[in-house]
Amino acid sequence: MNMVKTYRMNRVVVFVVAGIYMLTWVVAFASGPKAFTIDSIFVLAGAIGILLFFDLAYGTRLTLEDGVLSRTDYFFAKKSIAVEKISSINYQPTFILGKTNRSLYFFQEDRERPRIEMSNTWFTKDTLKQIVRDLRAENPAIRLDQETEELVK
């Protein structure tokens, strides 16, 4: 019986993003010349907010099962890589400007671009650290860059 490990997005970030969206939605509903009027745009914007919340809270996740690391986005879009095929993990800045937003990049030996990416904006550093440790436990041959080594210390 293999154990499935699931890594979810940072709940605080999920609730803040969804809360700001829904607060903006309520303010738009209560202001302007058509205040408190329900129309199709209002219903559509509310539905988008609800979908955003559920996607961030439950639809985006990483799973480690049977030696395969998978990232699921929007409930069904899935990218997978066998742990044995992960050649290196880098923890690099997500954007050219600003060094605080970083992402874990999972590389395969035969690919120049990362197969899976995980941002520290959406996943806590503790979650990122645990993923790296779990992957290294399954495949000690995975190379880590200096920043990833510092992350897992």
Side-chain angles (χ1 to χ4, degrees):
M1 183 166 107
N2 286 333
M3 187 176 198
V4 177
K5 293 184 180 180
T6 301
Y7 311 93
R8 297 207 178 268
M9 296 179 84
N10 183 348
R11 295 288 185 217
V12 173
V13 173
V14 169
F15 283 105
V16 167
V17 169
I20 289 171
Y21 183 91
M22 295 310 286
L23 181 63
T24 304
W25 181 70
V26 168
V27 168
F29 176 62
S31 63
K34 292 185 174 185
F36 301 103
T37 303
I38 297 177
D39 61 5
S40 58
I41 297 295
F42 175 76
V43 172
L44 179 64
I48 289 171
I50 292 167
L51 287 173
L52 171 74
F53 170 75
F54 280 107
D55 175 50
L56 295 177
Y58 304 106
T60 300
R61 65 193 174 281
L62 237 66
T63 55
L64 181 57
E65 179 179 19
D66 296 329
V68 176
L69 179 69
S70 300
R71 177 173 173 149
T72 305
D73 291 305
Y74 314 112
F75 293 99
F76 60 87
K78 192 179 230 182
K79 288 183 181 180
S80 299
I81 183 172
V83 175
E84 66 187 26
K85 291 188 176 187
I86 298 174
S87 60
S88 64
I89 301 173
N90 295 346
Y91 187 55
Q92 298 296 316
T94 304
F95 307 106
I96 294 171
L97 299 174
K99 304 294 181 190
T100 57
N101 287 335
R102 293 181 163 270
S103 294
L104 272 181
Y105 298 97
F106 301 90
F107 288 91
Q108 231 175 281
E109 192 69 50
D110 59 344
R111 294 181 61 125
E112 191 173 308
R113 299 183 52 85
R115 181 74 179 131
I116 297 176
E117 301 173 16
M118 296 180 59
S119 170
N120 71 359
T121 303
W122 297 105
F123 294 89
T124 65
K125 281 188 177 184
D126 288 338
T127 301
L128 298 178
K129 185 185 307 186
Q130 189 59 49
I131 292 166
V132 173
R133 287 179 177 164
D134 291 344
L135 292 173
R136 287 292 296 270
E138 286 197 32
N139 180 1
I142 296 173
R143 293 184 313 273
L144 305 179
D145 67 351
Q146 182 180 356
E147 289 82 3
T148 310
E149 291 280 359
E150 290 173 12
L151 173 71
V152 295
K153 283 185 183 178

